Amino acid sequence: MRTDQILTRLERVFARLDREPERPAHLQTPQMSRHRVVLLGSTLAFYLAIVVAVLTTSWLVRLDWQVMFFRPYEQWPQLHAFLDYLVVLGQRGPTAVMVAAWLGWRSWRQHTLRPLITLGVALLLLNITVGAVKLGLGRLGPHYATQIGSAELFAGGDIFPSGHTANAVVTWGILAYLASTTVTRRVLSVVSAVVSLSVGATTVYLGTHWVSDVLLGWSAGLLIMLALPWFEPLIAGAEARVFALRERLRRRLETGSVPVPVATVLTPMLSAGGKWQLRLATDAVGPQEPATASAPATVQAAAGQAHAPAPRPAAHVSGRPHLIRSERTPVTPAGSRRPAHTERPAAGRAAARPATGG
């Protein structure tokens, strides 16, 4: 009887990931090829053409007003509830959290920070480029338009280009950019394109953006994705610096802190057996072992560890203070130290008088 376990597709995917704990050797960073340069130039030309068309109030602005008066959300109201959830795929907060969680798990599995750093660089470029154009042109949205047929530029708005559309292109496109195989990259590129197109069309349906806003948002996101290979050296340098910092912190934790020097004093003590001992008195807290006076090598080793002089504490034996030899009061010998003078009579005795006759 066969006992082979039948795995589902999801289980096979996780089993394949479990066999690949390290960074695969076949992973290569995308290069700025000639094909990519041509796409970048074409997208940049399309981007500039849209900006010029809006600035000159051309046919594109008239198309914006025609779609706005058509009001797609009134033509197909049954789609409104579903598209309200679909447009969340273009919001920067939720999408960035989801993609960052996946790339963080992948970074941990493959022991590389390149996915997370690449996502951070792409989002930073998105905020700078799209945010600068939004604030610079200041276009109002369809719900806040004031003059029919006008481009509504420089009026304090911030909807041109569409941030939802550009964010969908960058956030979901980064998964295709970081794919490890050619087949996976192509599949994820198609998925990213469908999601970004759907999000852009949804914003037009809901009436929050003009058609030209969505076109410029697609171009802005695609420009960032095409230009990412130019930032690969910066990404690699940031990853190397982070790993070097981690190694320094790891070595510091392994070696531990440097011990603080402790002052050491040797104090003579009288043991219970009547034998003199030298006790090692330090500032450290803990039990101290006495060192006998008959072991000069031990005393010298202990004395060599002293880094700074410290006041010598007085030891106590049997409740009475015992002074160290250097602190004892010198004893003065009794009597005078002056030499005796034979020519001078001793004090306190009467001088002998010669006997005289009466």
Side-chain angles (χ1 to χ4, degrees):
M1 183 177 63
R2 297 183 61 182
T3 58
D4 296 341
Q5 183 180 4
I6 301 177
L7 300 178
T8 63
R9 181 174 299 179
L10 183 61
E11 290 174 344
R12 288 197 300 268
V13 170
F14 280 97
R16 181 179 178 183
L17 291 174
D18 289 337
R19 292 195 301 268
E20 194 177 41
E22 300 290 341
R23 180 176 179 176
H26 62 274
L27 283 183
Q28 296 180 357
T29 58
Q31 303 296 326
M32 206 65 186
S33 61
R34 181 179 302 178
H35 178 68
R36 186 181 288 268
V37 171
V38 172
L39 286 178
L40 179 64
S42 303
T43 307
L44 181 59
F46 183 72
Y47 183 95
L48 296 177
I50 296 174
V51 174
V52 172
V54 173
L55 288 174
T56 57
T57 317
S58 65
W59 62 270
L60 187 57
V61 177
R62 292 194 297 270
L63 178 62
D64 290 338
W65 281 98
Q66 290 174 2
V67 174
M68 193 273 286
F69 284 135
F70 182 70
R71 290 182 174 86
Y73 55 89
E74 292 182 356
Q75 302 296 328
W76 301 285
Q78 64 275 10
L79 299 177
H80 201 288
F82 170 73
L83 294 181
D84 273 339
Y85 290 101
L86 180 63
V87 78
V88 177
L89 296 177
Q91 291 184 0
R92 191 165 306 167
T95 56
V97 170
M98 290 187 294
V99 174
W102 165 257
L103 295 180
W105 182 82
R106 180 178 170 183
S107 297
W108 176 72
R109 290 290 299 172
Q110 297 180 348
H111 301 276
T112 175
L113 293 177
R114 179 173 172 266
L116 286 177
I117 298 177
T118 305
L119 175 63
V121 170
L123 293 180
L124 181 61
L125 293 174
L126 177 67
N127 291 333
I128 293 175
T129 56
V130 175
V133 178
K134 278 177 174 288
L135 297 178
L137 296 179
R139 191 181 190 187
L140 294 176
H143 293 311
Y144 303 96
T146 58
Q147 185 179 355
I148 297 177
S150 171
E152 301 294 336
L153 294 173
F154 311 109
D158 58 351
I159 56 103
F160 182 70
S162 171
H164 275 69
T165 307
N167 183 73
V169 174
V170 172
T171 306
W172 301 109
I174 203 70
L175 298 178
Y177 180 83
L178 296 172
S180 57
T181 62
T182 304
V183 177
T184 307
R185 184 178 296 109
R186 290 176 181 176
V187 172
L188 291 178
S189 297
V190 173
V191 173
S192 172
V194 171
V195 172
S196 58
L197 289 173
S198 302
V199 170
T202 301
T203 58
V204 176
Y205 168 87
L206 297 175
T208 56
H209 280 287
W210 307 98
V211 174
S212 56
D213 298 343
V214 175
L215 294 177
L216 196 66
W218 283 331
S219 303
L222 188 57
L223 283 175
I224 293 174
M225 296 307 302
L226 291 174
L228 270 182
W230 281 336
F231 296 89
E232 284 295 338
L234 176 64
I235 295 171
E239 182 184 17
R241 285 191 291 270
V242 171
F243 280 138
L245 178 61
R246 185 192 65 175
E247 291 300 324
R248 288 198 297 269
L249 293 177
R250 179 180 297 177
R251 287 195 299 267
R252 184 174 300 178
L253 292 176
E254 289 177 355
T255 56
S257 58
V258 180
V260 180
V262 181
T264 307
V265 179
L266 295 177
T267 305
M269 296 291 293
L270 186 61
S271 63
K275 185 178 180 180
W276 283 100
Q277 295 178 345
L278 294 178
R279 181 176 295 276
L280 195 62
T282 62
D283 292 338
V285 179
Q288 299 173 353
E289 296 295 334
T292 60
S294 60
T298 305
V299 175
Q300 292 178 3
Q305 297 177 0
H307 297 278
R312 299 181 179 179
H316 298 275
V317 178
S318 301
R320 293 182 300 176
H322 177 77
L323 299 179
I324 304 175
R325 181 177 299 275
S326 59
E327 299 178 357
R328 294 178 181 176
T329 305
V331 180
T332 305
S336 176
R337 294 186 180 183
R338 296 180 179 181
H341 298 278
T342 55
E343 66 276 8
R344 183 179 298 178
R349 290 192 313 176
R353 296 183 179 178
T356 56

